[in-house]
């Protein structure tokens, strides 16, 4: 089976490409490298020993998207491509609606045009907004509170309407909680551009000496130690959730949402403690005021994915931190090659072979 992976060069995309290739799928990657680097795909080939084709295109370019479907017999699509920074989405909302919603619409139209109706959509727990109760089940009301989360919620609603209009679609909406960690090889991992917004990459950059100290956003939340609680999930467990969803949709039509989380919440201080233990590095921190838009506690009830997809997270917080640290230690500047003088060398052609 050939799987089209949009955003396949990204953090979760590259980890999912590894698992797809190692489980016998063929893949085609589409990426505009706006928030990723071709180097991650070279590493995917290095890990798996398998080659694949990559198209350096933007989903907003419908003709280029159609060409991918003309060139290949695509059996299913995993759609990761999208802008994903909450803070940035508040500053430039139109860019997020254009890129995430319009880009998805074009992809879905082309899929329909070529009768490719198996889709896994990379959604997010952000669609739940500030949950009234935790753990969170898939049937609660969606109440995204920022433009990024609203793009995910809108795309889910577009897909709900599509599936209700045409029962031949098979769609899985995978709502990620907080993906962290890296492949055990240390060859691929999270590589944010600029100062990391997210907790784990910030901590690992402190440990490697790129950042001074962690600012903990608020220690007066109604949690055990006052700091925010989240459901951190190992990125490889997350990748395996996509393969299980792919298997499930071979035998099932219709549309379903699944929480991909561990079902266990950890506070910021607990994550810092776990990282210090596994890395042997002290992480200096200071408490500052809450970050606007942050919520107190958010963690999943992953029972539906366990029941319907036969999937559950297998890796604990220490393994997540150890794998994140191995990636960062082996790649102090991420995928950037230190000798790189200019900004990332964008690919010179639309078509790349990895
Ligand atoms: C986790 C905890 C912070 C950084 C975001 C997106 C979400 C998803 C995952 C895409 C919180 C605290 C963080 C720091 C801190 N992305 N923190 N100091 O906000 O739960 O979710 O990433 O789908 O959409 O919203 O993750 O890692 O930013 O924060 O104290 O420098 O760490 O307050 O409690 P978040 P995060």
């Amino acid at each position: 089976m050939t799987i089209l992976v949009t955003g396949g060069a990204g953090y979760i995309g590259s980890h999912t490409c590894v698992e797809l290739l190692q489980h016998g799928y063929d893949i085609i990657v589409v990426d505009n490298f706006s928030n990723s680097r071709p180097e991650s795909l070279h590493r995917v080939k290095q890990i798996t020993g398998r080659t694949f084709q990559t198209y350096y295109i933007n989903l907003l370019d419908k003709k280029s998207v159609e060409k991918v479907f003309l060139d290949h017999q695509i059996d299913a699509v995993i759609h990761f491509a999208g802008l994903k920074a909450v803070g940035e989405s508040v500053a430039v909302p139109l860019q997020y609606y254009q890129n995430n919603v319009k880009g998805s619409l074009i992809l879905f139209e082309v899929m329909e045009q070529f009768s490719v109706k198996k889709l896994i959509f990379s959604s997010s727990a952000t669609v739940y907004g500030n949950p009234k109760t935790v753990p969170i089940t898939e049937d609660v009301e969606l109440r995204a509170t920022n433009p990024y989360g609203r793009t995910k919620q809108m795309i889910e609603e577009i897909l709900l309407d599509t599936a209700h209009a045409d029962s031949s679609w098979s769609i899985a909406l995978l709502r990620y909680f907080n993906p962290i960690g890296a492949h055990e090889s240390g060859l691929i991992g999270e590589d944010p551009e600029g100062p990391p917004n997210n907790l784990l990459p910030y901590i690992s950059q402190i440990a490697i000496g790129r950042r001074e100290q962690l600012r903990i956003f608020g220690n007066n939340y109604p949690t055990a130690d006052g700091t925010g609680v989240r459901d951190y999930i190992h990125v490889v467990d997350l990748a395996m959730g996509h393969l299980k969803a792919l298997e499930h949709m071979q035998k099932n039509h219709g549309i379903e949402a699944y929480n991909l989380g561990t079902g266990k919440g950890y506070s910021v201080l607990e994550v810092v403690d776990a990282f210090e233990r596994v890395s042997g590095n002290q992480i200096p921190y200071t408490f500052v005021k809450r970050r606007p838009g942050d919520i107190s506690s958010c963690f999943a009830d992953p029972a539906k994915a366990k029941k319907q997809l036969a999937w559950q997270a297998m890796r604990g917080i220490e393994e997540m931190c150890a794998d994140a640290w191995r990636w960062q230690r082996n790649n102090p500047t991420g995928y950037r090659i230190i000798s790189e003088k200019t900004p990332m060398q964008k690919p010179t052609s639309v078509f790349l072979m990895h």
Side-chain angles (χ1 to χ4, degrees):
M1 276 180 70
T2 299
I3 312 300
L4 172 62
V5 184
T6 76
Y11 172 44
I12 303 167
S14 55
H15 283 83
T16 304
C17 285
V18 165
E19 298 306 327
L20 287 166
L21 291 167
Q22 289 186 329
H23 286 76
Y25 292 97
D26 293 316
I27 66 170
I28 303 291
V29 172
V30 160
D31 208 302
N32 68 0
F33 299 112
S34 65
N35 190 26
S36 58
R37 291 170 180 265
E39 178 59 22
S40 68
L41 296 173
H42 292 305
R43 305 282 181 93
V44 168
K45 180 189 169 188
Q46 188 180 345
I47 292 168
T48 62
R50 295 200 52 205
T51 59
F52 53 93
Q53 295 177 8
T54 299
Y55 289 76
Y56 170 34
I57 60 174
N58 193 315
L59 292 181
L60 293 171
D61 174 0
K62 186 168 185 177
K63 281 272 173 273
S64 298
V65 178
E66 286 170 341
K67 180 161 182 353
V68 179
F69 284 78
L70 284 167
D71 290 353
H72 302 277
Q73 174 62 45
I74 306 286
D75 296 296
V77 175
I78 302 181
H79 178 33
F80 291 108
L83 298 175
K84 62 165 191 171
V86 169
E88 183 186 52
S89 79
V90 175
V92 286
L94 291 178
Q95 197 179 322
Y96 271 67
Y97 289 114
Q98 173 87 353
N99 189 79
N100 292 6
V101 180
K102 186 175 176 186
S104 297
L105 269 176
I106 289 170
L107 173 67
F108 304 158
E109 284 168 357
V110 174
M111 286 177 69
E112 187 171 61
Q113 212 176 301
F114 287 86
S115 301
V116 177
K117 296 185 178 178
K118 287 183 168 58
L119 170 70
I120 295 177
F121 173 58
S122 165
S123 190
S124 167
T126 312
V127 300
Y128 295 119
N130 194 350
K132 292 197 177 98
T133 58
V134 283
I136 303 172
T137 53
E138 288 85 351
D139 56 357
V140 303
E141 183 196 1
L142 302 190
R143 303 181 314 155
T145 58
N146 58 70
Y148 161 73
R150 276 191 280 276
T151 67
K152 292 295 186 181
Q153 187 172 332
M154 283 177 192
I155 296 165
E156 287 200 10
E157 283 158 6
I158 289 166
L159 291 171
L160 272 169
D161 288 340
T162 302
H164 292 156
D166 175 351
S167 60
S168 65
W169 282 83
S170 298
I171 300 172
L173 309 170
L174 301 186
R175 294 172 182 163
Y176 310 156
F177 281 70
N178 287 59
I180 62 170
H183 187 264
E184 61 185 5
S185 64
L187 288 171
I188 55 176
E190 192 168 8
D191 182 25
E193 288 290 335
N197 294 306
N198 295 141
L199 179 65
L200 223 292
Y202 204 101
I203 289 176
S204 65
Q205 288 190 14
I206 292 169
I208 201 72
R210 284 177 60 185
R211 309 276 167 204
E212 292 298 312
Q213 74 168 354
L214 176 67
R215 293 174 306 146
I216 297 182
F217 301 131
N219 66 331
N220 59 354
Y221 283 104
T223 61
D225 60 22
T227 61
V229 170
R230 296 291 185 276
D231 185 332
Y232 298 96
I233 176 169
H234 196 294
V235 66
V236 176
D237 279 332
L238 195 66
M240 289 312 297
H242 292 72
L243 272 75
K244 287 292 190 182
L246 208 45
E247 284 168 28
H248 180 77
M249 64 176 45
Q250 303 315 314
K251 307 181 284 299
N252 297 276
H253 289 299
I255 182 168
E256 288 291 347
Y258 298 99
N259 286 337
L260 295 192
T262 66
K264 178 161 177 43
Y266 285 96
S267 74
V268 176
L269 286 174
E270 287 172 324
V271 174
V272 169
D273 179 54
F275 192 93
E276 288 181 332
R277 267 185 280 116
V278 300
S279 70
N281 287 281
Q282 204 204 348
I283 304 296
Y285 62 79
T286 179
F287 294 117
V288 297
K289 65 183 180 18
R290 294 182 179 188
R291 180 171 63 177
D294 266 357
I295 57 178
S296 165
S297 287
C298 176
F299 55 93
D301 175 342
K304 182 179 176 185
K306 183 174 183 180
K307 182 164 181 280
Q308 292 191 12
L309 303 182
W311 170 89
Q312 65 180 25
M314 309 299 283
R315 296 162 177 86
I317 193 72
E318 294 202 349
E319 187 172 351
M320 295 181 216
C321 290
D323 290 347
W325 174 229
R326 185 182 307 108
W327 150 255
Q328 188 74 83
R329 201 178 56 234
N330 294 351
N331 305 272
T333 56
Y335 292 117
R336 272 169 289 298
I337 312 299
I338 295 174
S339 62
E340 214 169 83
K341 295 281 178 286
T342 57
M344 184 186 96
Q345 305 297 330
K346 295 267 188 183
T348 50
S349 75
V350 166
F351 171 79
L352 307 159
M353 172 61 87
H354 288 94

